[in-house]
Amino acid sequence: MFTGLSAFPLTPLVDDHLDEIAFSALIGRLNRAGVDSITALGSTGSYAYLSEQERARVAHLAVENAGDTPVFIGVGALRTSQVLAHATAAQRAGAAGLLLAPMSYQPLTEADVFELFRTLSEHTDLPVIVYDNPGTTHFTFSLDLYRRLTELPGISSIKIPGVPALAAEAREHVAKIRAVIPEHVSIGVSGDASAAQGLAASCDVWYSVIGGTLPELALRITRAVQAENTTEALAESARLAPLWELFAECGGSLRVVAAIAEQLGLAQRSCLPLPILGLDHSDRARVAACLIRLGL
Amino acid sequence: MFTGLSAFPLTPLVDDHLDEIAFSALIGRLNRAGVDSITALGSTGSYAYLSEQERARVAHLAVENAGDTPVFIGVGALRTSQVLAHATAAQRAGAAGLLLAPMSYQPLTEADVFELFRTLSEHTDLPVIVYDNPGTTHFTFSLDLYRRLTELPGISSIKIPGVPALAAEAREHVAKIRAVIPEHVSIGVSGDASAAQGLAASCDVWYSVIGGTLPELALRITRAVQAENTTEALAESARLAPLWELFAECGGSLRVVAAIAEQLGLAQRSCLPLPILGLDHSDRARVAACLIRLGL
């Protein structure tokens, strides 16, 4: 189940409330596009900003609109008891798996993070994805912590940050992780710009930001690698370089993907939770030009 | 009002619930010790981990038990609308001021942070303390942002991180900030280990972790500087070096202060919100030895 393309949709807001219509439509679109799974309430889904009630509602809408596509739900929170409450709600909504990042305010130790995952794995029957995203959590996993966590029952996948740009280095990087974790645990690459390289380097799944809004683009890369046509996958990723440049230069993938969704009419203007401001006028013009250049 | 010693109490938990008795007793103790203000729900007060209801309750208990000591309340949250809700609750509880840190999950821009403070300053009549704590928020203020923020109505103080250890460098550091902000805005030092140096370098207030649990120690330093006896203040801070070492070596001031409170019977064992584990056995032994050495 934790293979192929897992698409991370936005959770669009309108006037600081869930835009249920836009969110449901995004999910239906992903199901029709044929992604392998949908991860709602990832970082791209603004999980960290939403209330317990909003998150339960999003989980419900995701499952309701996903058809037969498995839905994973992000359950991260600053406090362990909040994580468990989100997990209970996700399970009740019909989630097929849970995604957990060690969100931090006070810096966390390895012991804190191990206990957090151990507590969740004891609390739920659902498979759990370990979400390693140091750019937002400010926690860095060691290989040894990967090893200890994947010995816990139910830990089924690790979402790793982007891999090195050079093929040999990417392979070595993924092989190092593979060497310390059990075979049944999948490795998923994130960092869209290096995803083709990551899949080519034996990652099992792409946890994809762009796949949540422009699923066809991400599917083309994923299916090429699955057909062992690495050259085509890398060429397709290179074609999307203008997009990866926007991610790097306009304050990160979330703000850019939100602007794309707004530009394409998939979300209303200012769909991100404040204080996160959307892109300014000139960056929006860059996004619009990029979409035209890519034939969207 | 934003001068002298502002004491930051813990918000102790017991079995993942507010320990209302312990918290009320901590506040009463600070009032009796004669601190100049109490800032509840600072980082030391675990604001980031508590629900809206818990935070409203803590604000109420703080004001109720503080006697005539002014109480400031931390209102930080990841989402602007949550900040405003906390501010409304704090005002209703009788807070004399608000403390706001730009908490982040997605990295914030200067524009995001400016708008966040502008929105709060429009929403409330209470004075606001700008809380600059890059170790937990991962946001770095520029001097120019200090300048722009302190032009907003109601912005009354800036809580800055620790100052350089050398007196001349500390003075220069504080003078640079003072040069860009209006005279009516006070500068408060945090980072307890450098607080004596900060006060000696013309900071107006010490936003103090240790002052929330061991107020007499922090008052001795503060009153010495106020009496223009810098030598005594620095000597007293040097005497507390074993404490500052524990802060640096045992995972930060919060875990150490929680262990101190637990050791002195001011909070029950494991008073921090999980996933933050308390100190392990050997670090607790160091804390106990330190308390004896300091005559506590």
Side-chain angles (χ1 to χ4, degrees), chain B residues 172-196:
Chain B
E172 193 185 343
H173 179 76
V174 177
K176 265 191 198 156
I177 299 169
R178 176 51 67 204
V180 299
I181 68 174
E183 209 175 330
H184 70 268
V185 174
S186 87
I187 300 175
V189 66
S190 58
D192 285 359
S194 74

Side-chain angles (χ1 to χ4, degrees), chain B residues 98-292:
Chain B
L98 306 176
L99 174 77
L100 176 58
M103 271 182 78
S104 72
Y105 180 74
Q106 297 286 342
L108 296 177
T109 65
E110 288 220 346
D112 296 336
V113 171
F114 180 80
E115 271 303 296
L116 172 65
F117 278 91
R118 198 195 56 72
T119 305
L120 177 62
S121 85
E122 242 180 33
H123 176 82
T124 185
D125 300 326
L126 291 176
V128 172
I129 307 164
V130 174
Y131 188 178
D132 179 358
N133 189 355
T136 55
T137 65
H138 306 284
F139 179 79
T140 301
F141 286 82
S142 66
L143 277 179
D144 190 58
L145 185 57
Y146 278 168
R147 180 188 63 72
R148 292 175 61 216
L149 288 175
T150 52
E151 284 170 359
L152 291 169
I155 303 291
S156 302
S157 184
I158 302 180
K159 176 181 180 298
I160 64 169
V163 300
L166 290 175
E169 288 176 21
R171 271 197 307 273
E172 193 185 343
H173 179 76
V174 177
K176 265 191 198 156
I177 299 169
R178 176 51 67 204
V180 299
I181 68 174
E183 209 175 330
H184 70 268
V185 174
S186 87
I187 300 175
V189 66
S190 58
D192 285 359
S194 74
Q197 198 62 270
L199 291 170
S202 297
C203 284
D204 309 285
V205 49
W206 175 12
Y207 292 115
S208 176
V209 174
I210 200 70
T213 299
L214 301 172
E216 287 79 9
L217 295 188
L219 278 167
R220 222 171 288 158
I221 293 173
T222 309
R223 298 300 177 236
V225 178
Q226 288 174 326
E228 301 193 356
N229 194 339
T230 302
T231 313
E232 187 189 319
L234 292 171
E236 179 61 15
S237 180
R239 194 180 72 85
L240 302 180
L243 207 49
W244 314 144
E245 279 161 26
L246 289 175
F247 283 13
E249 293 165 18
C250 299
S253 59
L254 177 65
R255 293 178 207 246
V256 174
V257 165
I260 291 172
E262 293 172 14
Q263 176 77 19
L264 296 178
L266 302 169
Q268 294 198 44
R269 184 76 180 235
S270 303
C271 73
L272 294 175
L274 289 174
I276 305 172
L277 297 169
L279 296 187
D280 65 18
H281 190 73
S282 77
D283 282 343
R284 278 178 194 274
R286 286 185 66 184
V287 166
C290 175
L291 290 178
I292 290 168

Side-chain angles (χ1 to χ4, degrees), chain A residues 10 15 29 40 60 78 84 86 88 101 106 114 118 130-131 135 162 181 183 253 267:
Chain A
L10 294 160
D15 290 334
R29 216 164 157 263
H60 174 79
L78 287 172
L84 301 186
H86 297 317
T88 299
Q106 296 287 343
F114 181 81
R118 198 194 57 72
V130 174
Y131 189 178
I181 67 173
E183 210 174 327
S253 59

